[in-house]
Amino acid sequence: MDTRLSPNRERVERVREALARHAAAALLVPSADPHLSEYLPGRWQGREWLSGFTGSMGTLVITPTQAALFADSRYWVQADKELQGSGITLVKIPTTAASHHIDWLAQQLQRGDVVLADGQVLGLAGAQQLRQALDAQGVQLRTDLDLLAEVWPDRPALPVAAVYAHAAPQAPEPRSTRLARVREAMARQGASHHFVSTVDDIAWITNLRGADVEYNPVFIAHLLIDATRATLFVGAGKVPAALATQLQAEGFALADYAQAAPALAALPAGSVLLVDPRRITLGFRQQVPSAVRVVEAINPSTLFKSRKGEAEAGFVREAMAEDGAAMCEFYAWFESALGHERISELTIDEKLSAARARRAGFVGLSFSTIAGFNANGALPHYRALPSAYSWIEGNGLLLIDSGGQYLGGTTDITRVWPIGTVSAAQQRDFTLVLKAMMNLSRTRFPRGTLSPMLDAIARAPLWAEGIDYGHGTGHGVGYFLNVHEGPQSISKAVPEATMAMEPGMITSIEPGVYRPGQWGVRIENLVLNVPAETPENGAFGDMLAFETLTLCPIDVRCIARNLMREDEIDWLNRYHVMVRERLSPRVSGPAKDWLEARTQVF
Amino acid sequence: MDTRLSPNRERVERVREALARHAAAALLVPSADPHLSEYLPGRWQGREWLSGFTGSMGTLVITPTQAALFADSRYWVQADKELQGSGITLVKIPTTAASHHIDWLAQQLQRGDVVLADGQVLGLAGAQQLRQALDAQGVQLRTDLDLLAEVWPDRPALPVAAVYAHAAPQAPEPRSTRLARVREAMARQGASHHFVSTVDDIAWITNLRGADVEYNPVFIAHLLIDATRATLFVGAGKVPAALATQLQAEGFALADYAQAAPALAALPAGSVLLVDPRRITLGFRQQVPSAVRVVEAINPSTLFKSRKGEAEAGFVREAMAEDGAAMCEFYAWFESALGHERISELTIDEKLSAARARRAGFVGLSFSTIAGFNANGALPHYRALPSAYSWIEGNGLLLIDSGGQYLGGTTDITRVWPIGTVSAAQQRDFTLVLKAMMNLSRTRFPRGTLSPMLDAIARAPLWAEGIDYGHGTGHGVGYFLNVHEGPQSISKAVPEATMAMEPGMITSIEPGVYRPGQWGVRIENLVLNVPAETPENGAFGDMLAFETLTLCPIDVRCIARNLMREDEIDWLNRYHVMVRERLSPRVSGPAKDWLEARTQVF
């Protein structure tokens, strides 16, 4: 191995020289940007540039003698490969140990040492934890320095993609109404001002969309709202002139992106500023003058956008039908081609994305397609790469997790398909996962139930057989917005009051079984919280049910029928009747034949 | 209404005079003692003495012009009655609003006001919350004054019941071993000292028991442990001389109860003291010199005692059989007497308690019997009183929730019995509750699952019909100790790491349906966490199952068979086979006939 080939070794050295200049003992580089987004613009991919590790999550720590990248199990294989020659050690952490690097740092450092971390990309809540942990060791945290600026000569500029309106009919609620709702929530908190950094919140409030990052149709901006103005801080030239005029007419002023921090710093004494400590960075928080009272609470828009209106739900049903039709077209091609031409995991991504791209309202993928055959399916976050992928041949299970962004909603679906002969053990796993998915899909629960409390209902059928899975059961899903959105989370997360289940929320249900080196099964539908009619007529409070939104056959050839109860078979048959009825009008030819064949009574 | 008849009006006035003497704006009297126990000795029932309200939970607040008692729904009827003529207002709070009185206080008070609360009975964690909330209003909390001492002339003295040894064979682990285990845990925390105020922890560590309060076989004491000594602070004369000698031989020194605080205050500089912030009062915490470093963590004994050893589990199974035999004897009498003699809820308590008292190892009841007919059964915490009770006549459901303390364990069981004709609606409720109980009883789950995450599994069958219940699904149960013990809790509690399910834990499973003014159904068994054998042989981690400990028929005459699945009927039949096999050797005559009849195949 020729280590001279890794440019990262030299980049780490440059950081060490900078550390020496600033008399600092360590640099901490998280995977984060000033908007605390899941997908980062190139400008804030400093961790990737320094280390060479391209995974979406991971924290880099560099000291004068050590360099370590902290990543959880889904990235271990990839990181091992990408870090070669960089001199950076991979520290393998459990998925839940997001603070592992803090303990590691504490061991490396001595009292009086200084740790650098750019406060512009540190979440406020996380930064407070970090500072506390370092304080306890007598170590100082310095956050006013962006060290990357000194060592990264060709650092990418801010993204420049144009901002566009998410218009009626798919955006049924005018931005002026949304702004008014936010202002009402501010008034309830006694706040005169509200600062928003999270780009999905801003997209929701403004009914604007963008293309600054992959998969999420958002744009980089901040928003400052007071009783009479709403100032959108966005890169010059990103908002077309006509749209800018329209925005001004609807109460939104535009200002340059760089003016957000000065605007916060200029808040008048006596103002009351509402910010969300999980959704604002330390850097912005520190701009707030001390004469301003800060109220910390979840962004009102985060709660508002989690509850889709009736008109939005209608468009989501449309988008689901389009998405399901694309799945039919893809699978019809796939089943006819298999055995006649050589198909790889990469081909699947290409063909499936093309099928989606032909559907009405399609804008782009909602995340990178996971197509994993056999052992690759056992890696929940697998992604086939041109440098490493499998061919679909022989026997086994093919797991495909994919989704699209449509003007009328965001989709996310996982199905598992039989290839050649499926073993009894594979059928058993498939059936248990299906039972888990159905168990939660059919559950009713009181409105306001904290979403994590529902997690065990999905797991119970797998637990009964001694099986568990390492990821959450379900994540919230946006409306032509991020495929991962809060606040609800059906998982082992610690429940909080903001996680209450409310009508209109869209959440995934995606239990799984993963057998490392062998195969993986995951079945995922999106579901909508809807009021449930019950015999009690609300005597015990309002009840909610899940309306299954995702429309695509579940392959019964993978089912071990003897493990299914009659009521479960009945649920599956009803689901397939619905899928056939809703998708039939949207497909024709081989796709329609395929739909017919795969939705027969089981 | 002649208000002169209430002595409480005058007692409240005496408090107001004392408030004036101390220039204070309010007195807060919680239901609490220096040990943060559920059952309070008379000395610390100041809230009851002042207000006249005899319920077990409730907070009294007195200001110069207002007096208010804060109590949740289970106490509203009782409190309304008992507060008459006292001039005290009942403030009805939701079960979850334990801090409601703080908000109320904040509204009554002005900046600069002083609130009195006796730090000797304020839990540390709760006191910190209280101080924070008052601080935010500019109100001062003064905790160094026991105002009751000034206004309560005939205040009861400390209880004087004798302490006795919980001896082998039912106490299989010597107290020296337990002490050594606690010291190991202290060492892992780097603690040189450990102070324990909770009386169940002390009873567990010392293998001692007492009779200082009702139902819980505990005694009032504190315990201070260091590397070589363990000092038990207990009232003079409570420990018999022979037992005292024995304790000294096993490493326990005795000191007077009043010396606990001075001993804390005398801890040498540089000591490291382990205390549990949920299980120590503010008063004791404030005794600790500033030169002592305090480590806050759950009491090691709280975790240890939640996990019963194999020998203990064996004795619990014995105690359950004795308890079940007592239930058979009672029900055999009850069914034969019903219609021939007049039976009230009070008679039931008397007869059932007498049947328990005849069983081997019986020491006392583990809580006051709840025997509620029809509408009374709809009150989860109902207690028949000589002044208010119902006769068992006509048609309906009789709910009996009862339990005993045995040398080999603590029992807690709820059954519902049909009286006359049971309606289809009652049968439906009974069957749904039974399904809920069975659903959780049959669940397997990964070792370490946080207990609150299991709560929804019991509720799901009720939720499906639009029904919920307002209490938790299950509480931990002690071993010849408190019938309510932590840390595990199958409920909507916010999960914490200390709530992990571990082998040996005993927990209740007790879902219910309550129809106010009509009837209530609750079915309760105790279950033991045991390792589960699964086909996966631990590939996905250790799995646990519940072994049902409680032995008593479930009356199938209350079941709507068409609502039961085959696998549920099978579970019930297997349970009844076990009940018959285990109880048959312990009953004879009518009780045996009754057992046979009530455990027939359904």
Side-chain angles (χ1 to χ4, degrees):
Chain A
M1 185 175 65
D2 188 347
T3 55
R4 284 174 307 177
L5 289 177
S6 167
N8 304 102
R9 187 173 281 268
E10 192 227 321
R11 292 171 187 175
V12 169
E13 281 311 317
R14 268 196 249 168
V15 167
R16 287 181 174 139
E17 287 159 21
L19 285 176
R21 277 198 300 278
H22 295 286
L27 172 69
L28 193 155
V29 191
S31 303
D33 73 2
H35 308 276
L36 305 172
S37 294
E38 182 178 358
Y39 293 92
L40 309 178
R43 180 166 186 76
W44 289 292
Q45 298 207 357
R47 191 265 298 140
E48 176 176 332
W49 180 80
L50 282 172
S51 68
F53 169 62
T54 61
S56 56
M57 296 283 283
T59 300
L60 177 66
V61 181
I62 300 176
T63 74
T65 56
Q66 306 272 325
L69 179 91
F70 298 79
D72 67 49
S73 60
R74 55 195 149 140
Y75 299 112
W76 293 348
V77 174
Q78 176 185 354
D80 258 336
K81 198 175 293 178
E82 295 178 339
L83 293 178
Q84 273 183 20
S86 69
I88 298 169
T89 310
L90 171 63
V91 181
K92 299 177 174 182
I93 61 172
T95 308
T96 49
S99 63
H100 198 95
H101 61 277
I102 302 178
D103 304 333
W104 184 90
L105 252 180
Q107 286 181 346
Q108 306 286 323
L109 302 179
Q110 308 200 332
R111 295 187 86 78
D113 279 350
V114 174
V115 173
L116 302 181
D118 180 8
Q120 305 303 315
V121 303
L122 285 184
L124 179 58
Q128 285 164 341
Q129 272 190 320
L130 175 63
R131 192 184 295 280
Q132 239 170 32
L134 294 178
D135 265 1
Q137 306 287 331
V139 170
Q140 195 192 325
L141 177 67
R142 184 175 169 194
T143 59
D144 61 347
L145 202 62
D146 178 6
L147 208 71
L148 284 171
E150 300 182 20
V151 300
W152 191 357
D154 51 350
R155 185 174 186 175
L158 288 163
V160 295
V163 172
Y164 58 97
H166 187 214
Q170 288 93 344
E173 188 177 37
R175 56 178 69 93
S176 54
T177 308
R178 294 189 160 179
L179 187 55
R181 287 172 66 193
V182 171
R183 285 197 172 116
E184 279 165 30
M186 288 165 56
R188 281 194 295 275
Q189 302 265 11
S192 60
H193 294 72
H194 175 38
F195 185 71
V196 189
S197 280
T198 31
V199 292
D200 53 344
D201 281 304
I202 294 173
W204 184 87
I205 297 171
T206 60
N207 277 343
L208 298 176
R209 296 293 187 271
D212 284 349
V213 296
E214 281 188 300
Y215 308 121
N216 290 348
V218 293
F219 59 99
I220 301 303
H222 301 280
L223 181 63
L224 180 61
I225 303 174
D226 66 18
T228 55
R229 280 168 310 179
T231 308
L232 185 65
F233 301 93
V234 59
K238 285 173 71 81
V239 180
L243 181 54
T245 308
Q246 181 61 35
L247 285 167
Q248 268 153 5
E250 294 178 83
F252 288 86
L254 296 185
D256 191 69
Y257 181 71
Q259 292 308 308
L264 267 186
L267 283 181
S271 310
V272 179
L273 176 70
L274 171 65
V275 293
D276 184 336
R278 304 247 180 117
R279 295 177 177 83
I280 186 180
T281 61
L282 177 69
F284 278 102
R285 176 65 183 81
Q286 287 176 332
Q287 294 291 332
V288 181
S290 57
V292 169
R293 187 158 75 83
V294 172
V295 175
E296 294 193 347
I298 189 169
N299 283 339
S301 48
T302 302
L303 293 174
F304 293 155
K305 75 183 168 60
S306 72
R307 299 187 56 183
K308 282 70 182 170
E310 278 187 38
E312 289 175 329
F315 286 109
V316 171
R317 290 186 194 99
E318 282 290 304
M320 292 288 169
E322 288 298 308
D323 204 60
M327 296 290 282
C328 291
E329 290 182 0
F330 163 75
Y331 278 121
W333 164 80
F334 176 73
E335 290 195 15
S336 68
L338 198 67
H340 302 286
E341 57 186 280
R342 214 167 172 218
I343 300 173
S344 79
E345 293 165 344
L346 293 173
T347 330
I348 288 170
D349 185 4
E350 192 184 299
K351 289 281 185 181
L352 180 52
S353 300
R356 279 203 166 89
R358 288 190 294 270
R359 305 311 307 191
F362 178 82
V363 177
L365 298 185
S366 58
F367 57 98
S368 69
T369 301
I370 297 169
F373 184 50
N374 283 343
N376 293 342
L379 305 168
H381 294 265
Y382 174 73
R383 182 178 184 178
L385 297 169
S387 56
Y389 60 88
S390 289
W391 294 100
I392 315 303
E393 45 201 13
N395 302 314
L397 297 178
L398 170 63
L399 182 153
I400 306 179
D401 187 350
S402 64
Q405 294 286 5
Y406 297 81
L407 289 175
T410 302
T411 70
D412 183 359
I413 172 174
T414 310
R415 290 291 184 268
V416 168
W417 236 245
I419 306 298
T421 305
V422 173
S423 71
Q426 290 167 335
Q427 284 189 327
R428 181 168 171 278
D429 282 351
F430 184 95
T431 310
L432 292 173
V433 171
L434 177 58
K435 287 165 77 85
M437 192 274 281
M438 291 189 295
N439 211 34
L440 184 54
S441 298
R442 300 191 299 171
T443 295
R444 290 167 172 186
F445 47 90
R447 178 176 175 178
T449 294
L450 301 183
S451 46
M453 306 308 278
L454 300 176
D455 181 75
I457 292 177
R459 293 181 199 269
L462 294 165
W463 284 352
E465 303 298 322
I467 298 169
D468 200 8
Y469 48 93
H471 56 73
T473 298
H475 55 83
V477 178
Y479 177 74
F480 182 37
L481 258 179
N482 298 359
V483 77
H484 296 148
E485 78 165 20
Q488 83 273 26
S489 169
I490 303 177
S491 68
K492 294 174 179 172
V494 173
E496 296 175 42
T498 54
M499 293 176 172
M501 280 297 206
E502 297 292 345
M505 285 180 163
I506 295 178
T507 316
S508 70
I509 298 182
E510 47 179 314
V513 171
Y514 306 99
R515 300 197 180 269
Q518 300 185 77
W519 64 79
V521 176
R522 180 167 67 255
I523 303 178
E524 175 187 26
N525 281 341
L526 301 193
V527 296
L528 175 72
N529 281 7
V530 294
E533 298 290 313
T534 81
E536 301 294 338
N537 288 316
F540 296 84
D542 294 344
M543 304 295 291
L544 298 180
F546 289 128
E547 173 191 334
T548 294
L549 294 169
T550 300
L551 299 170
C552 181
I554 292 167
D555 199 310
V556 300
R557 295 171 297 177
C558 294
I559 295 178
R561 190 179 180 115
N562 63 318
L563 298 179
M564 296 272 279
R565 291 196 314 257
E566 278 309 308
D567 57 304
E568 293 170 332
I569 292 172
D570 188 51
W571 187 93
L572 185 64
N573 282 330
R574 284 164 190 264
Y575 176 67
H576 277 154
V577 166
M578 176 176 80
V579 168
R580 191 169 59 239
E581 284 177 1
R582 303 268 288 276
L583 297 190
S584 274
R586 294 173 197 257
V587 289
S588 57
K592 189 158 194 161
D593 297 342
W594 180 89
L595 173 66
E596 285 290 329
R598 292 282 161 254
T599 54
Q600 289 303 302
V601 173
F602 178 56
Chain B
M1 184 177 66
D2 187 347
T3 56
R4 286 173 306 176
L5 289 177
S6 168
N8 304 102
R9 188 172 281 268
E10 192 226 322
R11 291 171 187 175
V12 169
E13 282 310 317
R14 268 197 249 168
V15 167
R16 287 180 173 140
E17 288 159 19
L19 285 176
R21 278 199 300 281
H22 295 286
L27 172 69
L28 193 155
V29 191
S31 303
D33 73 1
H35 307 275
L36 305 173
S37 293
E38 181 178 358
Y39 294 93
L40 310 177
R43 181 166 185 76
W44 289 292
Q45 299 207 355
R47 192 265 297 141
E48 175 176 336
W49 180 81
L50 282 172
S51 67
F53 168 61
T54 61
S56 56
M57 295 284 283
T59 300
L60 178 67
V61 181
I62 300 175
T63 75
T65 56
Q66 306 273 325
L69 180 91
F70 298 79
D72 67 50
S73 61
R74 54 195 151 142
Y75 300 112
W76 293 347
V77 175
Q78 177 186 352
D80 259 336
K81 199 175 293 179
E82 294 177 341
L83 292 178
Q84 274 182 19
S86 69
I88 299 169
T89 310
L90 170 63
V91 181
K92 299 178 173 180
I93 61 171
T95 309
T96 49
S99 63
H100 198 95
H101 60 277
I102 302 178
D103 303 333
W104 184 91
L105 253 179
Q107 287 182 344
Q108 307 285 323
L109 302 179
Q110 308 200 332
R111 295 188 85 78
D113 278 350
V114 174
V115 173
L116 302 181
D118 181 7
Q120 305 303 316
V121 303
L122 285 183
L124 179 59
Q128 285 165 342
Q129 271 189 320
L130 175 63
R131 192 184 294 280
Q132 241 169 30
L134 295 178
D135 265 1
Q137 306 287 332
V139 171
Q140 196 191 326
L141 177 67
R142 183 174 171 194
T143 59
D144 62 347
L145 201 64
D146 177 7
L147 207 72
L148 284 171
E150 299 182 22
V151 300
W152 193 356
D154 51 350
R155 184 174 186 174
L158 288 163
V160 297
V163 172
Y164 59 97
H166 188 214
Q170 288 93 345
E173 188 177 37
R175 55 178 71 92
S176 54
T177 307
R178 294 188 160 180
L179 188 55
R181 287 172 65 193
V182 171
R183 285 196 173 118
E184 280 165 29
M186 288 164 56
R188 280 193 295 274
Q189 302 265 12
S192 60
H193 293 74
H194 175 38
F195 185 72
V196 189
S197 280
T198 31
V199 292
D200 52 344
D201 281 304
I202 294 173
W204 184 87
I205 297 170
T206 61
N207 277 343
L208 297 176
R209 296 294 187 271
D212 284 349
V213 296
E214 282 187 299
Y215 308 119
N216 289 347
V218 293
F219 58 99
I220 301 302
H222 299 280
L223 182 62
L224 181 61
I225 303 174
D226 66 19
T228 56
R229 280 166 310 178
T231 308
L232 186 66
F233 301 93
V234 60
K238 286 174 69 82
V239 180
L243 180 56
T245 308
Q246 182 61 35
L247 284 167
Q248 269 153 6
E250 294 177 85
F252 288 86
L254 295 186
D256 190 70
Y257 181 73
Q259 293 307 306
L264 266 187
L267 284 181
S271 309
V272 179
L273 176 70
L274 172 65
V275 294
D276 184 335
R278 303 247 178 117
R279 294 176 176 84
I280 186 179
T281 61
L282 177 70
F284 278 102
R285 175 65 184 79
Q286 286 176 332
Q287 294 291 333
V288 182
S290 58
V292 170
R293 187 158 74 84
V294 172
V295 175
E296 294 194 346
I298 190 169
N299 283 339
S301 48
T302 302
L303 292 174
F304 293 155
K305 76 184 167 59
S306 72
R307 299 187 55 182
K308 283 69 182 170
E310 278 188 36
E312 288 174 329
F315 286 109
V316 170
R317 291 187 193 98
E318 283 291 303
M320 291 288 169
E322 288 298 309
D323 203 62
M327 296 289 282
C328 291
E329 291 182 359
F330 163 76
Y331 277 121
W333 164 80
F334 176 74
E335 290 196 13
S336 68
L338 198 68
H340 303 288
E341 57 185 279
R342 214 167 171 219
I343 300 174
S344 80
E345 293 165 343
L346 293 173
T347 331
I348 288 169
D349 185 6
E350 192 184 298
K351 289 280 185 182
L352 179 52
S353 300
R356 279 204 166 87
R358 290 191 292 270
R359 305 311 307 191
F362 178 81
V363 178
L365 298 185
S366 57
F367 57 98
S368 68
T369 301
I370 298 168
F373 184 52
N374 284 343
N376 294 341
L379 305 168
H381 295 265
Y382 175 72
R383 182 177 185 177
L385 298 169
S387 55
Y389 59 88
S390 289
W391 294 99
I392 315 303
E393 45 200 16
N395 302 313
L397 296 178
L398 171 63
L399 182 152
I400 306 178
D401 187 352
S402 65
Q405 294 286 4
Y406 297 80
L407 289 175
T410 301
T411 70
D412 182 359
I413 173 175
T414 309
R415 290 290 184 270
V416 168
W417 236 244
I419 306 298
T421 305
V422 173
S423 71
Q426 290 167 335
Q427 285 188 327
R428 181 168 171 279
D429 282 352
F430 184 96
T431 309
L432 292 174
V433 171
L434 177 58
K435 287 164 77 84
M437 192 275 281
M438 291 190 295
N439 211 33
L440 184 54
S441 298
R442 300 192 298 172
T443 295
R444 291 167 170 184
F445 47 90
R447 179 177 174 177
T449 295
L450 301 183
S451 47
M453 305 308 279
L454 299 176
D455 181 75
I457 293 176
R459 292 181 199 267
L462 295 165
W463 284 352
E465 303 297 323
I467 298 169
D468 199 9
Y469 46 94
H471 55 73
T473 298
H475 54 83
V477 178
Y479 177 74
F480 182 37
L481 257 178
N482 298 359
V483 77
H484 296 149
E485 77 166 22
Q488 82 272 27
S489 169
I490 303 178
S491 68
K492 294 174 180 174
V494 174
E496 296 176 39
T498 54
M499 293 177 170
M501 280 297 206
E502 297 290 345
M505 285 181 165
I506 295 178
T507 316
S508 70
I509 298 181
E510 48 178 313
V513 171
Y514 307 99
R515 298 195 181 270
Q518 301 186 77
W519 64 80
V521 175
R522 182 168 64 253
I523 303 177
E524 175 186 25
N525 282 340
L526 300 192
V527 295
L528 176 71
N529 281 6
V530 294
E533 298 289 314
T534 81
E536 300 294 337
N537 289 315
F540 295 84
D542 295 344
M543 304 295 292
L544 299 180
F546 289 129
E547 174 191 333
T548 294
L549 295 168
T550 300
L551 299 169
C552 181
I554 292 166
D555 198 310
V556 300
R557 296 171 299 178
C558 294
I559 295 178
R561 190 180 179 116
N562 63 319
L563 297 180
M564 296 272 279
R565 291 196 313 256
E566 278 310 308
D567 57 305
E568 293 171 330
I569 292 172
D570 187 53
W571 186 93
L572 184 64
N573 282 330
R574 284 164 190 264
Y575 176 67
H576 278 152
V577 166
M578 176 176 80
V579 169
R580 190 168 62 241
E581 283 177 2
R582 303 268 287 277
L583 297 189
S584 274
R586 296 174 195 256
V587 289
S588 58
K592 189 159 194 160
D593 297 342
W594 181 88
L595 174 65
E596 285 289 330
R598 292 280 162 256
T599 54
Q600 290 304 301
V601 173
F602 177 58

